[in-house]
């Protein structure tokens, strides 16, 4: 007779959980992940909003796939929407109309899907901006920053491929731009267009191919990137804002289970409720008003979704000629001449390429300029990194000008101004806007740092006017508490680092360039208050307070 001390659960659910755990070892993973600490700050919620929007995209998209037919076969519409009855269109457009008018809840699910897509890209963009402005991309999170950048690009790809599926007049104009960009590529451009569209534009196969990308390949890549991103967050631990008790070696916050998990679950249903309310009340993408796509007419006032607008805006800003200089070059080849249309290729590829190239390379650029290779788990206040904040503001303005240019025709018609004037102003802002934004943002950050320095040394203005023994009047200052003082003085003080010689005593050209950039960024800076400066300020204020008390006693 043998005895065993093996645990036996008393409930059916417990026995099932014990059965699964004994075979896959899930309890260890759950226990380890459940103990992970996450800081509790509102700015960390943007990443969660993006993840919850993606979940809603998957759920609503699954519903729509049951009814959408991604075919470009020609049919005559005989559905419920009377104004389009008897009109020829593609099967994709007809099925979109059927979802909108004949499937119960179809229009609501379409709008949930579209609004979730817009908010997914928006929250992901704001999350990336938060990471950039607070310096959360620094070592050891450089690769996670790259993963986030690729995730943003895939979000744009998911939005564009889904936006084009209804085959309506608005989305067809967007595909026409893609066709033009492809054909502007010399030698291979026409072949790429014929392959992508399945013949001469609009072809017969572009909608099925975009559908495959939209429901399989792009979502699979996004899910993979999300898993990698969350794995790196758990591996590197979460960043946190500076404060008493918070160091590079700990995380102050709540564990995943049960506190954070419960809050995250509630937050998901809040996001779902808000998107459902917007989808039920605010109409978006009414394809029945646009009608089926017809490549023969040219439509005015067409715009893509906001996240793709910057590419369209860049195309509108690009001139065809500058004086006598033409941006169309005929390149001779043995088989004949091919036209290189730089007026299309440059705005379609260079601005977006430059924006994403600088974004991906920034962690290494900043590490090279500052020579700071330490691990960073504490975040920066944007004002305490003036050069980084100024560069971020310049990038936002650079993007925003192109984004506004996508609406140049609507700006002209709504404000009753000439379209050419709008274009000239936007072209000027395209070059001067980022420079002005950089200079202005940097000066604002330095001014805020000086304000913080004055508050630490002299305290806050109390609003009480007092008279000195000499008869002068001044405002009384109140000393700030220790916690606030810590926040205002605890930050990285990046200094200008001159060119450093190598082991052989030589200074390379690369090092000289780094020194010039470092001087440009850090020569004008505000250093944090040192303990000796704080002690001297307290001593001076103590002397003034004693003199004031003496004067008060004399007056009494």
């Amino acid at each position: 007779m043998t005895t065993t001390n093996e645990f036996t659960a008393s409930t059916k659910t417990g026995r099932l959980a014990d059965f699964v755990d004994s075979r896959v070892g899930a309890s260890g993973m759950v226990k380890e992940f459940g103990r992970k600490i996450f800081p509790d700050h509102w700015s960390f919620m943007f990443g969660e909003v993006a993840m919850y929007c993606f979940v809603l995209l998957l759920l609503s998209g699954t519903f729509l796939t049951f009814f959408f037919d991604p075919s470009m076969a020609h049919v005559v519409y005989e559905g419920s929407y009377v104004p389009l009855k008897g009109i020829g269109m593609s099967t994709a457009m007809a099925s979109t109309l059927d979802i909108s008018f004949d499937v119960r809840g179809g229009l609501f699910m379409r709008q949930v899907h579209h609004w979730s897509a817009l908010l997914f890209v928006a929250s992901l963009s704001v999350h990336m901006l938060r990471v950039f402005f607070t310096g959360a991309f620094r070592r050891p999170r450089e690769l996670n920053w790259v993963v986030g950048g690729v995730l943003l690009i895939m979000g744009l790809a998911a939005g564009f491929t889904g936006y084009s599926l209804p085959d309506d007049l608005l989305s067809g104009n967007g595909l026409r731009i893609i066709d033009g960009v492809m054909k502007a590529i010399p030698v291979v451009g026409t072949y790429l267009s014929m392959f992508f569209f399945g013949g001469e534009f609009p072809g017969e196969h572009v909608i099925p191919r975009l559908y495959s990308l939209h429901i399989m390949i792009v979502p699979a890549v996004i899910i993979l990137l999300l898993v990698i991103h969350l794995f790196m967050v758990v591996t590197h631990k979460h960043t946190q804002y500076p404060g008493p008790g918070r160091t590079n070696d700990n995380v102050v916050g709540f564990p995943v289970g049960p506190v954070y998990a419960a809050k995250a679950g509630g937050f998901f249903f809040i996001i779902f409720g808000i998107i459902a309310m917007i989808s039920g009340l605010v109409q978006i993408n009414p394809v029945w008003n646009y009608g089926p796509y017809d490549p023969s007419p040219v439509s005015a006032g067409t715009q893509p979704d906001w996240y793709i607008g910057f590419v369209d805006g860049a195309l509108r800003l690009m001139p065809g000629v500058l004086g006598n200089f033409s941006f169309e070059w005929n390149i001779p080849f043995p088989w004949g001449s091919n036209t290189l249309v730089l007026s299309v290729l440059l705005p379609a590829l260079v601005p977006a390429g430059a924006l994403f190239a600088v974004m991906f390379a920034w962690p290494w650029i900043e590490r090279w300029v500052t020579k700071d290779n330490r691990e960073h788990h504490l975040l920066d206040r944007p004002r305490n990194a003036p050069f980084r904040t100024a560069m971020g503001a310049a990038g936002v303005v650079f993007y925003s000008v192109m984004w506004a240019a996508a609406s140049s025709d609507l700006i002209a018609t709504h404000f009753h101004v000439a379209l050419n004037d709008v274009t000239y102003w936007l072209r000027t802002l395209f070059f001067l806007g980022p420079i002005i934004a950089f200079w202005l943002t940097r000066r604002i950050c330095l001014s805020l740092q000086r304000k913080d320095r004055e508050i630490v040394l002299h305290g806050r203005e109390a609003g009480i006017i007092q008279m000195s023994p000499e008869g002068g009047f001044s405002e009384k200052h109140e000393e700030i508490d220790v916690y606030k003082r810590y926040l205002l003085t605890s930050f990285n003080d990046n200094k200008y680092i001159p060119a450093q010689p190598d082991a052989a005593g030589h200074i390379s050209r690369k090092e000289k360039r780094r020194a010039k950039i470092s001087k440009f960024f850090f020569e004008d800076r505000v250093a944090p208050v040192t303990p000796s400066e704080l002690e001297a300020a307290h001593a001076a204020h103590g002397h003034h307070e004693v003199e004031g008390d003496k004067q008060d006693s004399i007056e009494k």
Side-chain angles (χ1 to χ4, degrees):
M1 181 177 178
T2 59
T3 59
T4 178
N5 294 325
E6 187 173 323
F7 170 77
T8 302
S10 58
T11 63
K12 188 176 293 185
T13 304
R15 287 193 293 272
L16 178 61
D18 184 62
F19 173 82
V20 174
D21 178 55
S22 63
R23 284 152 180 82
V24 301
S27 62
M29 293 184 288
V30 173
K31 183 179 180 181
E32 179 65 24
F33 185 72
R35 289 176 175 175
K36 281 293 179 182
I37 304 298
F38 283 85
D40 192 23
H41 193 273
W42 64 268
S43 65
F44 298 147
M45 296 296 176
F46 294 115
E48 293 185 39
V49 173
M51 186 170 64
Y52 299 152
C53 289
F54 183 68
V55 172
L56 293 178
L57 280 170
L58 293 179
L59 295 176
S60 58
T62 302
F63 175 88
L64 295 175
T65 56
F66 294 145
F67 306 99
F68 181 72
D69 188 353
S71 172
M72 297 188 73
H74 186 270
V75 297
V76 176
Y77 179 69
E78 297 295 341
S80 300
Y81 188 64
V82 176
L84 290 180
K85 270 195 173 183
I87 302 297
M89 60 184 66
S90 66
T91 304
M93 178 66 181
S95 65
T96 303
L97 292 174
D98 290 338
I99 292 172
S100 302
F101 297 106
D102 296 311
V103 175
R104 188 180 297 274
L107 180 58
F108 173 74
M109 295 303 290
R110 273 194 62 227
Q111 301 209 146
V112 166
H113 194 69
H114 204 133
W115 278 114
S116 298
L118 296 182
L119 293 177
F120 171 67
V121 181
S123 54
L124 191 59
S125 302
V126 176
H127 177 65
M128 292 288 290
L129 288 174
R130 196 275 303 170
V131 171
F132 179 84
F133 284 120
T134 58
F137 56 81
R138 292 171 294 180
R139 183 183 177 187
R141 297 175 181 83
E142 300 98 331
L143 293 181
N144 210 4
W145 169 257
V146 174
V147 169
V150 178
L151 187 58
L152 178 59
I153 293 175
M154 296 310 299
L156 301 181
F160 177 76
T161 54
Y163 177 82
S164 303
L165 290 181
D167 199 29
D168 60 294
L169 186 62
L170 187 61
S171 64
N173 280 309
L175 288 175
R176 167 66 84 181
I177 295 175
I178 298 298
D179 175 60
V181 172
M182 285 183 175
K183 288 179 177 176
I185 302 174
V187 183
V188 298
T190 53
Y191 297 99
L192 288 175
S193 175
M194 294 286 284
F195 170 77
F196 183 69
F197 290 97
E200 189 65 34
F201 179 85
E204 299 178 355
H205 303 298
V206 64
I207 298 300
R209 288 171 179 171
L210 289 175
Y211 185 70
S212 300
L213 288 171
H214 185 68
I215 70 166
M216 291 188 296
I217 298 175
V218 175
V221 175
I222 291 177
I223 292 173
L224 176 62
L225 292 171
L226 281 173
V227 171
I228 295 174
H229 176 71
L230 293 176
F231 172 78
M232 288 187 176
V233 169
V234 173
T235 302
H236 297 146
K237 73 184 181 181
H238 208 291
T239 55
Q240 59 185 344
Y241 287 97
R246 300 177 183 179
T247 67
N248 277 315
D249 301 320
N250 68 357
V251 179
V252 178
F254 297 98
V256 171
V259 178
Y260 198 82
K263 293 177 66 176
F267 194 44
F268 167 76
F269 287 105
I270 292 174
I271 299 299
F272 172 71
I274 292 174
I275 291 179
M277 181 182 68
I278 296 173
S279 303
L281 299 176
V282 184
Q283 181 176 274
I284 190 171
N285 198 25
V287 294
W288 52 89
N289 286 339
Y290 310 141
Y293 180 63
D294 183 354
S296 58
V298 178
S299 301
T302 57
Q303 292 176 294
D305 278 338
W306 70 268
Y307 45 84
I308 299 294
F310 74 103
V311 181
D312 188 14
L315 286 168
R316 298 189 188 200
L317 290 177
M318 184 69 186
V321 293
L322 282 178
N324 294 325
F325 179 80
S326 175
F327 287 97
E328 293 187 9
W329 299 350
N330 290 319
I331 304 176
F333 287 98
W335 55 84
S337 296
N338 284 89
T339 303
L340 179 62
V341 189
L342 294 177
S343 57
V344 174
L345 283 178
L346 288 179
L349 301 177
V350 173
L355 195 66
F356 283 106
V358 173
M359 183 182 74
F360 284 132
W362 187 260
W364 289 274
I365 294 175
E366 182 170 321
R367 188 175 66 179
W368 173 61
V369 173
T370 61
K371 287 185 172 292
D372 184 2
N373 200 30
R374 299 170 297 172
E375 287 195 2
H376 293 274
H377 302 289
L378 292 177
L379 301 175
D380 290 332
R381 297 175 75 200
R383 67 180 64 181
N384 292 331
F387 80 100
R388 181 200 303 145
T389 304
M391 285 295 295
V396 170
V397 171
F398 180 71
Y399 172 89
S400 299
V401 171
M402 293 186 289
W403 182 54
S407 303
S408 58
D409 53 343
L410 297 181
I411 294 173
T413 55
H414 279 69
F415 294 97
H416 305 288
V417 294
L419 177 60
N420 287 340
D421 292 342
V422 174
T423 303
Y424 293 146
W425 274 104
L426 289 173
R427 284 175 180 172
T428 303
L429 287 175
F430 180 81
F431 294 101
L432 296 182
I435 298 174
I436 296 173
F438 178 89
W439 178 83
L440 188 62
T441 304
R442 191 181 182 198
R443 300 315 306 175
I444 291 174
C445 290
L446 292 172
S447 299
L448 291 173
Q449 282 186 295
R450 292 188 181 97
K451 176 187 174 183
D452 291 344
R453 184 179 176 87
E454 290 298 316
I455 290 175
V456 171
L457 291 176
H458 307 294
R460 292 190 178 277
E461 297 175 349
I464 301 173
I465 305 300
Q466 58 186 10
M467 185 176 68
S468 67
E470 293 79 14
F473 292 91
S474 62
E475 187 173 9
K476 184 178 181 180
H477 287 70
E478 294 179 348
E479 186 177 348
I480 60 176
D481 58 73
V482 178
Y483 181 85
K484 187 68 175 179
R485 186 189 305 157
Y486 180 89
L487 293 179
L488 298 182
T489 58
S490 178
F491 62 89
N492 291 323
D493 183 23
N494 290 317
K495 303 177 182 179
Y496 160 56
I497 303 176
Q500 304 294 315
D502 56 20
H506 300 295
I507 299 178
S508 63
R509 292 182 179 178
K510 182 179 178 181
E511 179 63 16
K512 290 179 180 179
R513 288 196 297 269
R514 186 210 60 79
K516 289 182 180 179
I517 298 173
S518 178
K519 184 177 182 179
F520 173 68
F521 281 148
F522 303 120
E523 187 176 35
D524 190 5
R525 68 185 183 88
V526 177
V529 177
T530 63
S532 58
E533 289 176 327
L534 185 61
E535 184 178 352
H538 283 178
H541 287 307
H543 173 74
H544 293 323
E545 290 176 1
V546 170
E547 292 294 333
D549 293 339
K550 289 181 178 179
Q551 180 65 23
D552 291 340
S553 61
I554 292 173
E555 292 176 353
K556 291 178 181 179

